[in-house]
Structures are given as structure tokens and as C-alpha cells.
Amino acid sequence: MRTFSRFSASIAALCLACAHASGGEPHPRHRPAESAAAAAVAPVSEPARLQASAIATVPAGTFGPYLCMRKRGGLVVWAEPELSGAKSFWARQVGPAGDTKLEAVRVDDAPDEIGLVSLRSIGTDFVLLATHKTREGESVVVRFLSEAAKMRGGPLAVGRAVSLLWIEAVPSPRGVWVLWASRSDRRAQIFAAEVSANGELLRPAQLLASDAGAWQAAALGAELVLGVTLVGKEARRHGPIELIFADETGAPRAPVVVSAEPTADLDLDLVVLENRAILAWSDHRSIATRVYAAAVDAQGKLLVPPTPAANAFGEQALLRVVQPAEGQRRAYLAWEDLSAPATSHRTFQLAELTPEARVNEPRAELEYWKMDGTVPELAATQLGVAALTLAPECLRAEPCANDASIVPEFVALDATMAPRAAEPLRLERESQRSLAWGLACGEHCVALSATSAVPTPVALARLEHRSDAFRSPAARFVLPPPPRVVASDLLAEGDPLSQVAVTKTAGAELVGTITDFDPTTPWVRLKKAAPDGRFEPLRARIELHAFADRPPFTALAPAEPLSLRAHSLGGLALADAAVGQEDVLAAWAGIDNGQPQVFVTLVDKLGKKKSQRMLTHKRGDLGEIAALRAGDDLFVAWVDERSGDPEVYASKLDRTLRSLSPEQRITNAPGAATDLSLIQTAKGVLAVWADSREADQPGWADIYTAQLGADAARAGAETCLERTRPHSFGAAPRAFADGALVAWFEAASETEGARLELALLDASGHVREPISHVPLEGAPLALGLDCGDTACHVAAVLDVSSRAELWAVSFAQGKASAPAHLLTLGGAPTGVAPVVRDQRVYVAETREGHGYLRRLLVDW
């Protein structure tokens, strides 16, 4: 991939023993891996070292060396200052195993001020591109070298620009296309010229693209293809993507629009597979950054429109597309898992990229132990893919010490992504090499290496499996056993959330969110009307998001605002639609004349408002609201303080929101009622809540149930599920069998840690089997519960060492499983309850003052 800003040379350019890297400052994703680690002390029983061949000892001011390999051998080229002060290009032939066959050969004069350098294998020759400064700007010069490091054509100047950003060589039917990018304000222009294999200019420079922010080129059949992310004259940070074809005349034809959305990041890369161009990039069209890919055939037809290239477990960023090895057809996609927990290293994933613009399973994880923006080098091999990374030098048989040296390390993976080699760059008869770059794989894998001495001895190391002594920084990515997260998507971004609610309707799933708003904020009328035309002050915002109820669970419509003046403490409840119907009841707390009231709204399956009324007309604060559809009737319950104490009330409505009963008071006891829910059992509607009556400490509660009659009044006495001294909270009930399962947290006591409690109830709300007590590691914050025909699943948010972690517990055949870690959530711990619906878990996160709604797909 090539980008306008912070670009990288075609082959990682390393200026040994001088103060800067040739070609300017590389893009931080593409700098060569380096390490200034001290030499490691060899163990008593030392594993075998890597074989190496000396290339040259180069003086200060040398540019390179640069390496290019193919199956039958390769070439190393560098620009070295002479005693006279002039510079010369030198080259040395290397064999397939990295052995040096002939002495170094002086190739040609080199300019004093070298800019970019690229060495490519095209046909039977090697193409050396180099730029240098002139009075008119920078010049692009091409040279053709034989396998024996002899000049076969050139030097030929093919282009000039005030400021050059990139150079590349791509094979053409008559020779080679030479491409370069020139700076144009804050964007780039891409040019191409065709040169014969004898160094003759066949076609002068032609402009292929303007307003480019990222680009990559390749040969597709007899044509040149150029993928471009367009940033426009405004030099935006994201843009649409086009694929430009240049035919045998060099003239570009009408570009193919690959991605019309202006959401592509400036990290575009491409590869040609099975006569089609596969493009990959990081995309911001959804809330979370994902790696997208698309495929275009040789006729310019978009075969695969932009689509996520791999299942995501969090945010992603493209590293690169790894081109197939010579004679092979397997390309690889490498990307960074941005949601991986922050540690002392970065984590990249690797997988085979198919012509359908998707990755194959399995995949591998690769560690890179440097946090300065540099990245590992990658190359496809005859058997799989290889990496040159930085990792601690640790023996497999011993624990890895915290102060272990971070060194260059070679890793090879087979076609199944299983490691087959892990070797620190320890060369025969030498101490640890502190610099390594230029990973190339032909018949064998090799890389250049050097020490920090001046003059600098440069060697070509043969990278291969030598022992199984060292810990591998790469491993095949294997999902943990169930329960496990198999996909993760960010659905919405905005202000921090206080609640998430989910319900099902005909062919859709409706997800409601309510933002967190401080109710003590003064009530001051607006001077300018809000978006709804009213002047009442804005409070919490409720939005309804509609998603398909089948994979890939895509959004069916933009989010629908339900209220701009909601009351966070009262929250939102959604009742399932009746069978064969799409109308959903939303019960929520809104502000009317400065007082929180219960509102009920009927919405369709996309969240659009159909009818609404204010249900209560009372004074005093308002707590949790619950809603339930029972046949054709709607039950709504809530907690309010009209009597001076938070008590539970309920009412019954018909499908038109007309009241079928007066407001019924369900509780009458000192102490606050919280965590209110309604469920339906075989005997009717059951209310479940936490109540702090008769508490040892203010606010400590126990979990209660009560059955409601046909008129929403309480039918019979309340039932305390378990009377305990510690605080019981977070109650979540779900209908199960002919009764219910209720889950709640028991706070830690002086003698015991916190627990998850699971109580199986009969249809009347009484405990019918011993309660399951599940110990928890961490402070419990919130939980969600869902039940199927034979099992129930709990998702619990815990505060573990100031980290928000999501844990899972299953309940089946009267027994609870041990807690299993699902995911470490981003941001600070939050008390927003997750919502579990079948295999989907909805969670709220707060990061740096912003709220996010995430959907997890869980294999239970």
C-alpha cells in the first residue's frame, strides 16, 4: 500500500551508519523492524544458530542495502560513498539459499542525494529504480541489472517532479511500467511511463490519477491497474476508491468505482488473483473501523462489492496484502486487532485472502513488541507465510522474564497458519544482530542483518527452522471453547448510555437506547427551538434502532428518535409484538412540566412512532419502568415516589393504549423498590423487583416477586426469594419452562465474595429448587439473562481491577456452570445492564466521554 502522507518506499530502505533513512520518513505502518537490544547471553546448551553469508562491510553514508529474491536467487544493491566523496551503486548476486556466489560488482555512478530506491524482479532481470535531487526537482531513473549484477540497460530518466513520494515497477507486455507519485499540494498525482527491457523509453509519462491519498499498482493481464483512494482537493483523511486501467497504449480508460462511500482510510492495498484485482482497505462506514475488500475482473466489472473481509472481534486496521510467492496462488491479508487489550506489544492477524475478497479460516496471531508505529515485515512462502518481527528472546521451556531482550525474530507459518519455525536472528559465529530488514522468500527465506558498528558488516541470513527451543511470537488463532464471542460490532456512537432495551418483532429486532442525563440539571427553557420545534429543555435522548433478525443482522433503517426529553432514571422498556403483528409497545420516562411521567408509545418494527399518550399524572420522582404484552393486552409497571417512598405501581392497557384498569399500587412497605421487571408464566403476569424493606443497612435489598391479576392489581402476597444480609441487586427474570428463572447479584460480605444467584421459580413466583450460588471474581455491576427451551444464559459485567469484563454463566438441568470470561470491554466499568437475546448480547461502553453500543455474537 502507498499513501500520500508519511509514505513508505517500495522496499524498506535502511540507511546504515547515517542519521536518516533514504526516501524520507516512512509511513509508521511500514517502517522496517529494528531493535537496539543488547546481545543475549547464550544458554549453556545453546540451540543451533542461523547460517549467514557476508555481503559487505559498508561505510557511513551508505544507502541500503536493498534485497530482491526469487526462486533461483536474488540480488543485493546498495549505494556506497567512495574515498573521493562520490557515490557508486554496488550489487552482489546471491543464490537461492542466500549464499554469495560472486564478489560485489560496481554497477554505476550513484547520485549524491538519493531519495527513494526500489529493487524489483521483472522477467529475467532486476529493475533498480532510484530518485535523486536536481535543480529542477527530483528525477526518476531506471536501471536494468542481470542476475549476475551486470548493467543491461539504462540509466534512463523517465520522469521528474518537484517532490516525489513513491516509485514502483510493474511488468508490461513489452517491458516494464515505471510509476511514481508526485506531491501536489496535500495530495498526490500518479504518473506512469513504459520502458523496454533494454532501457529504451517506449511511452513517455502519462498522468493516471490526481487527488490521490493512497494508491497501489499491479499488472492485470496485459493492462496496468491502479487502485486509488481519492481525497479530493480538500485532502480529506478518508475517501472513495477507484480502480484505473491503462491499456497497451498507456491511456487510462474510465475508472471503475470500487467504493462510492467516502469512508476508506488511506491504507489501500491490492493483489491480482485469478485474473481479478482484489483491493483491501480500512473502512469507517460503520461505527467501528473494519477491513473491507472488493474484487474487480479484467473487464472492469465489480464482481464483489465492498464487504468486510473477516469476522471482527473488535475494530480492525489493515496492515497489508501479502503477494503470492513465485509459482503460488495464495495471497494473505494482515490486519491489526485494535480491540486487543493494551499490553507491551501489538497483535496482528494473518489469513489467506481468497479471490472472493474474503479470508479463509484458519488465521494466525502475530506479536510485535514495539509500540513506536513500526510493523513486522511479511512475505509469502512456498508453504505459507513468513514474518520478521520483534519479540522477547525466550526459551519455550522457561518462563519469559520481564526483562528479556527484544530482538528481531523470524517466524514461518504453514498453509494452516500453524507455526513451523520461530528463530531469533542469532547468526553462526556472531552475537545477536540488532538490525534486521528486507525479508524475502524465494526457494528459501532470507533477510539482511547488521550490527550497529561503523563501518557496518552486513550479512544475509538464511531463515529456516533450526530448533524448537524458542517461544514463538506467532500462533494459530483458535477460538476458546464455548461460551465464546465469535463476532463483535459497534452499532451506535454518541453520549454515554444509561440503558439498552431489546425486543423482537416481525422479521426484525428493535434495539432501544437511552442516554445518561443528570436529573438535577436546572430546568431552563430553550431560547431556540429544539429539532422537534419545542422550547422545553433537552434531557436524555431515546433512540430506536431496527436490525434484521438473521445474519448478518444489518441495520434496516436509520435510528428513530423517540424522545429528546427522557428521564434516565425511569429508563425504557420494550414489549414484544404480538404473534403476526409488528407493533411494539415502548414504555418510557419523560419530562412533562418539569415532572417525570410514564409515557407509552406504539411504534412499528422500524421504530417509527404510530401513537402515544402520557400514562401518569403524578408528582415525585420516577424509577424503573417495565412492560409486557400478554395476549392482546399490555401491562406496564413502574416505580414512583408519589407517596414519599419508591413503590411499585402497575396498569393494564389495550392495543390502542386505552387504559383497562386504574393505576394499581403493588407494594406498600418502607424502603425503596428497584430493578423492576415483568414476565409471563403459565399462571399469568409476574412482577419481580428488589426491595430494601427490613434491611440491615440503608439501601440493602432482597429480591421479591408478586403475581398480578387480570386488572394488574397484586393477586396474593409478595414472596421474598432469599433473605440475606448482603445487598441483593440487578435482578433479571426470564420465563423458563412453565415458571421463570431469576438471576441477581449478591454483594460481597465480610466473610464471602460476591456471587451470582440463580433461582428457579414455579408459575406463581415461588422458589421450587435450591438456589444456585456462583462465586464471582471481581465486583458485580450489571447482568442480562435470556432463556431458551432447555437452557438459560447470563452475561454479567464485572469490575476486575478497574477493567470492565463480560463473563458468562449458563443454567441447564437445574445446574449453573462456572463463570467463563467472554470479553474485556473498552473504557471504564459501567453499570448498564447487558441485554441477552439468543446468541446476541448487547452491551454499552463508555470511552473518553463517548457512549458506544456493541453487539456480540456468542457461541454458548
Side-chain angles (χ1 to χ4, degrees), residues 827-845:
T830 174
V832 180
V835 179
V836 184
R837 285 296 180 268
D838 298 326
Q839 288 189 299
R840 299 178 292 286
V841 178
Y842 296 86
V843 294
E845 301 177 34

Side-chain angles (χ1 to χ4, degrees), residues 530-589:
D532 61 358
R534 297 169 57 189
F535 287 86
E536 286 81 356
L538 302 178
R539 314 302 266 189
R541 181 183 180 91
I542 296 178
E543 289 186 327
L544 299 176
H545 311 256
F547 297 96
D549 62 354
R550 291 184 176 90
F553 309 114
T554 52
L556 300 177
E560 287 285 341
L562 180 63
S563 175
L564 304 178
R565 297 170 184 81
H567 186 56
S568 297
L569 294 181
L572 167 70
L574 298 175
D576 289 346
V579 177
Q581 301 292 322
E582 67 171 31
D583 287 356
V584 168
L585 172 69
W588 50 282

Side-chain angles (χ1 to χ4, degrees), residues 253-267:
R253 48 188 169 101
V256 176
V257 177
V258 177
S259 177
E261 297 293 331
T263 53
D265 209 344
L266 303 184
D267 56 5

Side-chain angles (χ1 to χ4, degrees), residues 394-399 422 467-472:
C394 302
L395 295 174
R396 292 178 60 185
E398 301 175 0
S467 74
D468 294 318
F470 295 97
R471 169 192 173 272
S472 175

Side-chain angles (χ1 to χ4, degrees), residues 639-649 665 667-673 691-692:
V639 176
D640 73 42
E641 298 184 10
R642 68 182 72 180
S643 65
D645 195 46
E647 303 289 353
V648 177
Y649 293 81
R665 182 168 176 171
T667 63
N668 187 6
D691 205 306
S692 62

Side-chain angles (χ1 to χ4, degrees), residues 52-53 55 69 93-102 446 460 462:
S53 301
I55 297 298
M69 288 292 294
Q93 181 184 13
V94 295
D99 50 305
T100 50
K101 292 187 174 182
L102 301 173
V446 294
L460 189 64
R462 177 173 171 174

Side-chain angles (χ1 to χ4, degrees), residues 19-42:
H20 62 282
S22 72
E25 174 68 10
H27 190 292
R29 286 187 183 170
H30 304 92
R31 298 179 195 153
E34 307 175 19
S35 173
V41 178

